[in-house]
Amino acid sequence: MKCVICNSPDIKKKMVEEEIRIGKDVAFVSIEVLVCNNCGERYYDRRTMKELEEIERNIKRKNIKLEQVGRILKPTGTM
């Protein structure tokens, strides 16, 4: 397999943090996917996509316990 972006053959399975956005909240999910070691392009197979979709559904239904691990701050006025 070669990367569709940079044509590199250097593609390996890696653990990545995938973001799932729920309203203004973001949940990070660790998942193993193929990643191009040259440009960072990620490749998701059907099984992985279904797994991410199921996790997102369970988060929306509150069937998965989430732990707060940080805060995101945003300026409120003009500078």
Side-chain angles (χ1 to χ4, degrees):
M1 175 177 184
K2 287 190 176 183
C3 178
V4 297
I5 302 299
C6 70
N7 212 27
S8 171
D10 190 13
I11 296 173
K12 305 279 187 232
K13 280 192 172 190
K14 287 186 180 181
M15 290 300 290
V16 299
E17 292 285 320
E18 186 63 36
E19 290 183 9
I20 296 178
R21 294 183 181 269
I22 311 296
K24 290 186 178 182
D25 296 323
V26 177
F28 290 102
V29 177
S30 294
I31 196 153
E32 189 175 51
V33 296
L34 290 171
V35 179
C36 175
N37 286 322
N38 187 53
C39 72
E41 180 70 8
R42 296 178 181 183
Y43 297 90
Y44 299 85
D45 59 20
R46 284 188 189 150
R47 180 192 58 78
T48 302
M49 288 305 300
K50 286 185 180 207
E51 185 177 344
L52 286 170
E53 290 167 357
E54 183 65 24
I55 290 169
E56 182 175 3
R57 274 192 295 277
N58 283 320
I59 290 172
K60 287 180 178 177
R61 293 177 186 154
K62 301 186 186 212
N63 291 338
I64 292 180
K65 183 177 178 184
L66 298 175
E67 170 188 2
Q68 184 175 338
V69 293
R71 298 179 346 177
I72 297 176
L73 305 172
K74 172 177 147 178
T76 58
T78 59
M79 297 176 98

Coordinates of all heavy atoms in Angstrom, one line a residue:
M1 N 0.8 -1.2 0.0 CA 0.0 0.0 0.0 C 0.9 1.2 0.0 O 1.9 1.3 0.7 CB -0.9 0.0 1.2 CG -1.7 1.2 1.4 SD -2.8 1.0 2.9 CE -3.7 2.5 2.7
K2 N 0.5 2.2 -0.8 CA 1.2 3.5 -0.8 C 0.2 4.6 -0.4 O -1.0 4.5 -0.7 CB 1.7 3.8 -2.2 CG 2.9 3.0 -2.6 CD 3.5 3.5 -3.9 CE 4.8 2.7 -4.2 NZ 5.4 3.2 -5.4
C3 N 0.8 5.6 0.2 CA 0.0 6.7 0.7 C -0.6 7.5 -0.5 O 0.1 7.8 -1.5 CB 0.9 7.7 1.5 SG 0.0 9.2 2.1
V4 N -1.9 7.8 -0.4 CA -2.6 8.5 -1.5 C -2.2 10.0 -1.6 O -2.4 10.7 -2.6 CB -4.1 8.4 -1.4 CG1 -4.5 7.0 -1.5 CG2 -4.6 9.0 -0.1
I5 N -1.6 10.5 -0.5 CA -1.2 11.9 -0.5 C 0.3 12.1 -1.0 O 0.5 12.9 -1.8 CB -1.3 12.5 1.0 CG1 -2.7 12.4 1.5 CG2 -0.8 13.9 1.1 CD1 -3.8 13.1 0.7
C6 N 1.2 11.4 -0.4 CA 2.6 11.6 -0.7 C 3.3 10.4 -1.4 O 4.5 10.5 -1.8 CB 3.4 11.9 0.6 SG 3.6 10.5 1.7
N7 N 2.5 9.3 -1.7 CA 3.0 8.2 -2.4 C 4.1 7.4 -1.7 O 4.8 6.5 -2.2 CB 3.6 8.6 -3.8 CG 3.3 7.5 -4.8 OD1 2.4 6.7 -4.7 ND2 4.2 7.5 -5.8
S8 N 4.3 7.6 -0.4 CA 5.2 6.8 0.4 C 4.7 5.4 0.7 O 3.5 5.3 1.0 CB 5.5 7.6 1.7 OG 6.3 6.7 2.6
P9 N 5.6 4.4 0.7 CA 5.1 3.1 1.1 C 5.3 2.8 2.6 O 4.9 1.8 3.1 CB 6.1 2.2 0.3 CG 7.4 3.0 0.2 CD 6.9 4.4 0.1
D10 N 5.7 3.8 3.3 CA 6.0 3.7 4.8 C 4.7 3.9 5.6 O 4.6 5.0 6.2 CB 7.1 4.7 5.2 CG 7.6 4.4 6.6 OD1 7.3 3.3 7.2 OD2 8.3 5.3 7.1
I11 N 3.8 2.9 5.6 CA 2.6 3.0 6.3 C 2.5 1.9 7.3 O 2.8 0.8 7.0 CB 1.4 2.9 5.3 CG1 1.4 4.1 4.4 CG2 0.1 2.8 6.1 CD1 0.4 4.0 3.3
K12 N 2.3 2.3 8.6 CA 2.3 1.4 9.7 C 1.1 1.6 10.6 O 0.5 2.7 10.6 CB 3.5 1.6 10.6 CG 4.8 1.5 9.8 CD 5.3 0.1 9.6 CE 6.7 0.1 9.1 NZ 6.8 -0.7 7.9
K13 N 0.7 0.6 11.4 CA -0.4 0.7 12.4 C 0.2 1.5 13.5 O 1.3 1.2 14.0 CB -0.9 -0.7 12.8 CG -1.8 -1.3 11.9 CD -2.5 -2.5 12.5 CE -3.6 -3.0 11.6 NZ -4.4 -4.0 12.2
K14 N -0.6 2.4 14.0 CA -0.3 3.2 15.2 C -1.5 3.5 16.0 O -2.6 3.6 15.5 CB 0.3 4.6 14.7 CG 1.7 4.5 14.2 CD 2.2 5.9 13.9 CE 3.6 5.9 13.3 NZ 4.1 7.3 13.1
M15 N -1.3 3.8 17.3 CA -2.3 4.3 18.1 C -2.4 5.8 18.0 O -1.4 6.5 18.0 CB -2.1 4.0 19.6 CG -2.2 2.5 19.9 SD -3.8 1.8 19.6 CE -4.8 2.5 20.9
V16 N -3.6 6.3 17.7 CA -3.9 7.7 17.5 C -5.0 8.2 18.4 O -5.8 7.3 18.9 CB -4.2 8.1 16.1 CG1 -3.0 7.7 15.2 CG2 -5.5 7.5 15.6
E17 N -5.1 9.4 18.7 CA -6.2 10.0 19.4 C -7.2 10.6 18.4 O -6.8 11.5 17.7 CB -5.7 11.1 20.4 CG -4.8 10.6 21.5 CD -5.6 9.9 22.6 OE1 -6.7 10.4 22.9 OE2 -5.2 8.9 23.1
E18 N -8.4 10.1 18.4 CA -9.4 10.6 17.5 C -10.3 11.5 18.3 O -10.7 11.1 19.4 CB -10.2 9.4 16.9 CG -11.2 9.8 15.9 CD -10.5 10.4 14.6 OE1 -9.4 10.0 14.2 OE2 -11.2 11.3 14.1
E19 N -10.7 12.6 17.8 CA -11.6 13.5 18.4 C -13.1 13.2 18.0 O -13.4 13.1 16.8 CB -11.3 15.0 18.0 CG -10.1 15.5 18.5 CD -9.9 17.0 18.1 OE1 -10.8 17.6 17.6 OE2 -8.8 17.5 18.4
I20 N -13.9 13.2 19.0 CA -15.4 13.1 18.8 C -16.0 14.3 19.4 O -15.9 14.5 20.6 CB -16.0 11.8 19.3 CG1 -15.3 10.6 18.6 CG2 -17.5 11.8 19.2 CD1 -15.8 9.2 19.2
R21 N -16.6 15.1 18.6 CA -17.2 16.4 19.1 C -18.7 16.2 19.4 O -19.4 15.7 18.6 CB -17.0 17.5 18.1 CG -15.6 17.9 17.9 CD -15.4 19.0 16.9 NE -14.0 19.3 16.8 CZ -13.3 20.2 17.6 NH1 -14.0 20.8 18.5 NH2 -12.1 20.4 17.3
I22 N -19.1 16.6 20.6 CA -20.4 16.5 21.0 C -20.8 17.9 21.5 O -20.4 18.3 22.6 CB -20.7 15.5 22.2 CG1 -20.0 14.1 21.8 CG2 -22.1 15.4 22.5 CD1 -20.6 13.4 20.6
G23 N -21.5 18.7 20.7 CA -21.8 20.1 21.0 C -20.5 20.8 21.2 O -19.6 20.8 20.3
K24 N -20.2 21.5 22.3 CA -19.0 22.2 22.5 C -17.9 21.3 23.2 O -16.8 21.8 23.5 CB -19.2 23.4 23.4 CG -20.0 24.5 22.7 CD -20.1 25.7 23.5 CE -20.9 26.8 22.8 NZ -20.9 28.1 23.6
D25 N -18.3 20.1 23.5 CA -17.4 19.2 24.2 C -16.6 18.3 23.1 O -17.1 18.1 22.0 CB -18.1 18.2 25.1 CG -18.8 19.0 26.2 OD1 -18.2 20.0 26.7 OD2 -19.9 18.6 26.6
V26 N -15.4 17.9 23.5 CA -14.6 17.0 22.7 C -14.2 15.8 23.5 O -13.7 15.9 24.7 CB -13.3 17.7 22.2 CG1 -12.4 16.8 21.4 CG2 -13.7 18.9 21.4
A27 N -14.4 14.6 23.0 CA -13.9 13.4 23.7 C -12.8 12.8 22.8 O -12.9 12.8 21.6 CB -15.1 12.4 23.8
F28 N -11.7 12.4 23.5 CA -10.6 11.8 22.8 C -10.6 10.3 22.9 O -10.8 9.8 24.0 CB -9.2 12.3 23.3 CG -9.0 13.7 23.0 CD1 -9.2 14.7 23.9 CD2 -8.6 14.1 21.7 CE1 -8.9 16.1 23.6 CE2 -8.3 15.4 21.4 CZ -8.5 16.4 22.3
V29 N -10.6 9.6 21.8 CA -10.7 8.1 21.8 C -9.4 7.6 21.2 O -9.0 8.0 20.1 CB -11.9 7.6 20.9 CG1 -11.9 6.1 20.9 CG2 -13.2 8.2 21.5
S30 N -8.7 6.7 21.9 CA -7.5 6.1 21.4 C -7.9 4.9 20.5 O -8.7 4.1 21.0 CB -6.6 5.6 22.6 OG -6.1 6.6 23.3
I31 N -7.3 4.9 19.3 CA -7.7 3.8 18.4 C -6.5 3.5 17.5 O -5.7 4.4 17.2 CB -9.0 4.2 17.6 CG1 -9.6 3.0 16.9 CG2 -8.7 5.3 16.6 CD1 -11.1 3.1 16.7
E32 N -6.4 2.3 17.1 CA -5.3 1.9 16.2 C -5.7 2.0 14.7 O -6.7 1.4 14.3 CB -4.8 0.4 16.5 CG -3.6 0.0 15.8 CD -3.1 -1.3 16.2 OE1 -3.9 -2.3 16.2 OE2 -1.9 -1.4 16.5
V33 N -4.9 2.7 13.9 CA -5.2 2.9 12.5 C -3.9 2.9 11.7 O -2.8 3.0 12.3 CB -6.0 4.2 12.2 CG1 -7.3 4.3 12.9 CG2 -5.1 5.4 12.6
L34 N -4.0 2.7 10.4 CA -2.8 2.8 9.6 C -2.5 4.3 9.4 O -3.4 5.1 9.2 CB -3.1 2.2 8.2 CG -3.2 0.7 8.2 CD1 -3.7 0.2 6.8 CD2 -1.9 0.0 8.5
V35 N -1.2 4.6 9.5 CA -0.7 6.0 9.4 C 0.5 6.1 8.5 O 1.4 5.3 8.7 CB -0.4 6.6 10.8 CG1 0.1 8.0 10.7 CG2 -1.6 6.5 11.8
C36 N 0.5 7.0 7.6 CA 1.7 7.2 6.8 C 2.8 7.9 7.7 O 2.5 9.0 8.2 CB 1.4 8.1 5.6 SG 2.8 8.6 4.6
N37 N 3.9 7.3 7.8 CA 5.0 7.8 8.6 C 5.7 9.0 7.9 O 6.5 9.7 8.6 CB 6.1 6.7 8.9 CG 5.6 5.8 9.9 OD1 4.9 6.1 10.8 ND2 5.9 4.5 9.7
N38 N 5.4 9.3 6.6 CA 6.0 10.4 5.9 C 5.2 11.7 6.1 O 5.7 12.7 6.5 CB 6.2 10.1 4.5 CG 6.9 11.1 3.7 OD1 8.0 11.5 4.1 ND2 6.4 11.6 2.7
C39 N 3.9 11.6 5.9 CA 3.0 12.8 5.9 C 2.0 12.8 7.0 O 1.3 13.8 7.2 CB 2.4 13.1 4.5 SG 1.0 11.9 4.1
G40 N 1.7 11.6 7.6 CA 0.8 11.6 8.7 C -0.7 11.3 8.3 O -1.6 11.2 9.1
E41 N -0.9 11.0 7.0 CA -2.3 10.7 6.6 C -2.7 9.4 7.3 O -2.0 8.4 7.4 CB -2.3 10.4 5.0 CG -3.6 10.1 4.5 CD -4.6 11.2 4.4 OE1 -4.3 12.3 4.7 OE2 -5.8 10.9 4.1
R42 N -4.0 9.4 7.7 CA -4.6 8.3 8.4 C -5.5 7.5 7.5 O -6.2 8.1 6.7 CB -5.3 8.8 9.7 CG -4.4 9.4 10.7 CD -5.3 9.9 11.9 NE -4.4 10.6 12.9 CZ -4.9 11.0 14.0 NH1 -6.2 10.9 14.3 NH2 -4.1 11.6 14.9
Y43 N -5.6 6.2 7.7 CA -6.4 5.3 6.9 C -7.3 4.5 7.9 O -6.8 3.8 8.8 CB -5.6 4.4 6.1 CG -4.8 5.2 5.0 CD1 -3.5 5.6 5.3 CD2 -5.3 5.5 3.8 CE1 -2.8 6.3 4.4 CE2 -4.6 6.2 2.9 CZ -3.3 6.6 3.2 OH -2.6 7.3 2.3
Y44 N -8.6 4.6 7.7 CA -9.6 4.0 8.6 C -10.3 2.9 7.8 O -10.9 3.2 6.7 CB -10.6 5.0 9.1 CG -10.0 6.1 9.9 CD1 -9.5 7.2 9.3 CD2 -9.9 6.0 11.3 CE1 -8.9 8.3 10.0 CE2 -9.4 7.0 12.0 CZ -8.8 8.2 11.4 OH -8.3 9.1 12.1
D45 N -10.3 1.7 8.3 CA -11.1 0.6 7.6 C -12.6 0.7 8.1 O -12.9 1.4 9.0 CB -10.5 -0.7 7.8 CG -10.4 -1.1 9.3 OD1 -11.1 -0.6 10.2 OD2 -9.6 -2.0 9.6
R46 N -13.4 -0.1 7.5 CA -14.8 -0.1 7.9 C -15.1 -0.5 9.4 O -15.9 0.1 10.0 CB -15.6 -1.1 7.0 CG -15.9 -0.6 5.7 CD -16.8 -1.5 4.9 NE -16.8 -1.1 3.5 CZ -17.0 -2.0 2.5 NH1 -17.2 -3.2 2.7 NH2 -17.0 -1.5 1.3
R47 N -14.3 -1.5 9.8 CA -14.5 -1.9 11.2 C -14.2 -0.7 12.2 O -14.9 -0.5 13.1 CB -13.6 -3.1 11.5 CG -13.7 -3.6 13.0 CD -12.5 -4.6 13.3 NE -11.2 -4.1 13.1 CZ -10.6 -3.2 14.0 NH1 -11.2 -2.9 15.1 NH2 -9.4 -2.8 13.8
T48 N -13.1 0.0 11.9 CA -12.7 1.1 12.8 C -13.7 2.2 12.7 O -14.1 2.8 13.7 CB -11.3 1.6 12.3 OG1 -10.4 0.5 12.4 CG2 -10.8 2.8 13.2
M49 N -14.2 2.5 11.5 CA -15.3 3.6 11.4 C -16.5 3.2 12.1 O -17.1 4.0 12.8 CB -15.6 3.8 9.9 CG -14.5 4.6 9.2 SD -13.9 6.1 10.0 CE -15.5 7.0 9.9
K50 N -16.9 1.9 12.0 CA -18.1 1.5 12.8 C -17.9 1.6 14.3 O -18.8 1.9 15.0 CB -18.5 0.1 12.4 CG -19.1 0.0 11.0 CD -19.6 -1.4 10.7 CE -20.3 -1.4 9.3 NZ -21.3 -2.4 9.1
E51 N -16.7 1.2 14.7 CA -16.4 1.3 16.1 C -16.4 2.8 16.6 O -17.0 3.1 17.7 CB -15.0 0.7 16.4 CG -14.6 0.7 17.8 CD -13.2 0.0 18.0 OE1 -12.7 -0.6 17.1 OE2 -12.6 0.2 19.1
L52 N -15.9 3.7 15.9 CA -15.9 5.1 16.2 C -17.4 5.6 16.2 O -17.8 6.4 17.1 CB -15.1 5.9 15.3 CG -13.6 5.8 15.4 CD1 -12.8 6.5 14.3 CD2 -13.1 6.4 16.8
E53 N -18.2 5.2 15.3 CA -19.6 5.6 15.2 C -20.3 5.1 16.4 O -21.2 5.8 17.0 CB -20.2 5.1 13.9 CG -19.7 5.9 12.7 CD -20.1 5.2 11.4 OE1 -20.7 4.1 11.4 OE2 -19.8 5.8 10.3
E54 N -20.1 3.9 16.8 CA -20.7 3.3 18.0 C -20.3 4.0 19.3 O -21.1 4.3 20.1 CB -20.4 1.8 18.1 CG -21.1 1.1 19.2 CD -22.6 1.0 19.1 OE1 -23.1 1.1 18.0 OE2 -23.2 0.9 20.1
I55 N -19.0 4.3 19.4 CA -18.6 5.1 20.5 C -19.3 6.4 20.6 O -19.7 6.9 21.7 CB -17.0 5.3 20.5 CG1 -16.3 3.9 20.8 CG2 -16.6 6.3 21.5 CD1 -14.9 3.9 20.5
E56 N -19.4 7.1 19.4 CA -20.1 8.4 19.4 C -21.5 8.3 19.8 O -22.0 9.1 20.6 CB -20.0 9.0 18.0 CG -20.6 10.4 17.9 CD -20.4 11.0 16.6 OE1 -19.8 10.4 15.6 OE2 -20.8 12.2 16.4
R57 N -22.2 7.2 19.3 CA -23.6 7.0 19.7 C -23.7 6.8 21.2 O -24.6 7.4 21.9 CB -24.2 5.8 19.0 CG -24.8 6.1 17.6 CD -25.6 5.0 17.1 NE -24.8 3.8 16.8 CZ -24.1 3.6 15.7 NH1 -24.1 4.5 14.8 NH2 -23.4 2.5 15.6
N58 N -22.8 6.0 21.8 CA -22.9 5.7 23.2 C -22.5 7.0 24.0 O -23.1 7.1 25.1 CB -21.9 4.6 23.6 CG -22.5 3.2 23.2 OD1 -23.7 3.0 23.4 ND2 -21.7 2.3 22.7
I59 N -21.7 7.8 23.6 CA -21.4 9.1 24.3 C -22.6 9.9 24.3 O -23.0 10.5 25.3 CB -20.2 9.8 23.6 CG1 -18.9 9.1 23.9 CG2 -20.1 11.2 24.2 CD1 -17.7 9.6 23.2
K60 N -23.3 10.1 23.1 CA -24.5 10.9 23.0 C -25.6 10.3 23.9 O -26.4 11.1 24.5 CB -25.0 11.0 21.6 CG -24.1 11.9 20.7 CD -24.6 11.9 19.3 CE -23.7 12.9 18.5 NZ -24.1 12.9 17.1
R61 N -25.7 9.0 24.0 CA -26.7 8.4 24.9 C -26.3 8.3 26.4 O -27.1 7.8 27.2 CB -27.0 7.0 24.4 CG -27.6 6.9 23.0 CD -27.8 5.4 22.6 NE -28.3 5.4 21.2 CZ -28.0 4.3 20.5 NH1 -27.4 3.3 20.9 NH2 -28.5 4.3 19.2
K62 N -25.1 8.8 26.6 CA -24.5 8.8 28.0 C -24.4 7.4 28.5 O -24.5 7.1 29.7 CB -25.3 9.6 28.9 CG -25.4 11.1 28.4 CD -26.1 12.0 29.4 CE -26.1 13.3 28.7 NZ -26.1 14.5 29.3
N63 N -24.1 6.4 27.6 CA -23.8 5.0 28.0 C -22.3 4.8 28.3 O -21.9 3.7 28.7 CB -24.2 4.1 26.9 CG -25.7 4.0 26.7 OD1 -26.5 4.4 27.7 ND2 -26.2 3.6 25.6
I64 N -21.5 5.8 28.1 CA -20.0 5.7 28.3 C -19.7 6.8 29.3 O -20.1 7.9 29.2 CB -19.2 5.9 27.0 CG1 -19.4 4.8 26.0 CG2 -17.7 6.1 27.3 CD1 -18.6 4.9 24.8
K65 N -19.0 6.4 30.4 CA -18.5 7.3 31.4 C -17.3 8.1 30.8 O -16.4 7.5 30.3 CB -18.2 6.6 32.7 CG -17.8 7.6 33.8 CD -17.5 6.8 35.0 CE -17.1 7.8 36.1 NZ -16.7 7.1 37.3
L66 N -17.4 9.4 30.9 CA -16.3 10.2 30.4 C -15.6 10.9 31.6 O -16.3 11.3 32.6 CB -16.8 11.3 29.4 CG -17.4 10.8 28.2 CD1 -18.0 11.9 27.3 CD2 -16.4 10.0 27.3
E67 N -14.3 11.1 31.5 CA -13.5 11.7 32.6 C -13.0 13.0 32.1 O -12.5 13.1 30.9 CB -12.4 10.8 32.9 CG -11.3 11.4 33.8 CD -10.1 10.5 34.0 OE1 -10.1 9.4 33.4 OE2 -9.2 10.9 34.7
Q68 N -13.2 14.1 32.8 CA -12.6 15.4 32.4 C -11.1 15.4 32.6 O -10.6 15.0 33.7 CB -13.2 16.5 33.3 CG -12.7 17.9 32.8 CD -13.4 19.0 33.5 OE1 -14.5 18.9 34.1 NE2 -12.8 20.2 33.6
V69 N -10.4 15.7 31.6 CA -8.9 15.6 31.7 C -8.2 17.0 31.4 O -7.0 17.1 31.5 CB -8.3 14.6 30.7 CG1 -8.7 13.2 31.1 CG2 -8.7 14.9 29.3
G70 N -9.0 18.0 31.2 CA -8.5 19.3 31.0 C -9.6 20.4 30.8 O -10.7 20.1 30.9
R71 N -9.1 21.6 30.3 CA -10.1 22.6 30.0 C -9.7 23.3 28.7 O -8.5 23.3 28.4 CB -10.1 23.7 31.2 CG -10.5 23.1 32.5 CD -10.5 24.2 33.6 NE -9.8 25.4 33.2 CZ -9.7 26.5 34.0 NH1 -10.3 26.5 35.1 NH2 -9.1 27.5 33.6
I72 N -10.7 23.8 28.1 CA -10.4 24.6 26.9 C -10.8 26.0 27.2 O -12.0 26.2 27.6 CB -11.1 24.1 25.6 CG1 -10.6 22.7 25.4 CG2 -10.9 25.0 24.4 CD1 -11.3 22.0 24.2
L73 N -10.0 27.0 26.9 CA -10.3 28.4 27.2 C -10.3 29.2 25.9 O -9.6 28.9 25.0 CB -9.3 29.0 28.2 CG -9.1 28.2 29.5 CD1 -7.9 28.7 30.3 CD2 -10.4 28.2 30.3
K74 N -11.2 30.2 25.9 CA -11.3 31.0 24.7 C -11.5 32.5 25.1 O -12.2 32.8 26.1 CB -12.6 30.5 24.0 CG -13.0 31.3 22.8 CD -14.2 30.6 22.2 CE -15.2 31.6 21.6 NZ -16.3 30.9 20.9
P75 N -10.8 33.4 24.5 CA -11.0 34.8 24.8 C -12.5 35.2 24.7 O -13.2 34.8 23.8 CB -10.1 35.6 23.8 CG -9.2 34.6 23.2 CD -9.9 33.3 23.4
T76 N -12.9 36.1 25.6 CA -14.4 36.5 25.6 C -14.6 37.9 25.0 O -15.7 38.2 24.6 CB -14.9 36.5 27.0 OG1 -14.1 37.4 27.8 CG2 -14.9 35.2 27.6
G77 N -13.6 38.7 24.9 CA -13.7 40.0 24.3 C -12.7 40.3 23.2 O -12.0 39.4 22.8
T78 N -12.7 41.6 22.9 CA -11.7 42.0 21.9 C -10.4 42.4 22.6 O -10.4 42.7 23.7 CB -12.2 43.2 21.1 OG1 -12.5 44.3 21.9 CG2 -13.4 42.8 20.3
M79 N -9.3 42.3 21.9 CA -8.0 42.6 22.4 C -7.6 44.0 22.2 O -8.0 44.7 21.4 CB -7.0 41.7 21.8 CG -7.3 40.2 22.2 SD -6.1 39.1 21.4 CE -5.0 38.9 22.8

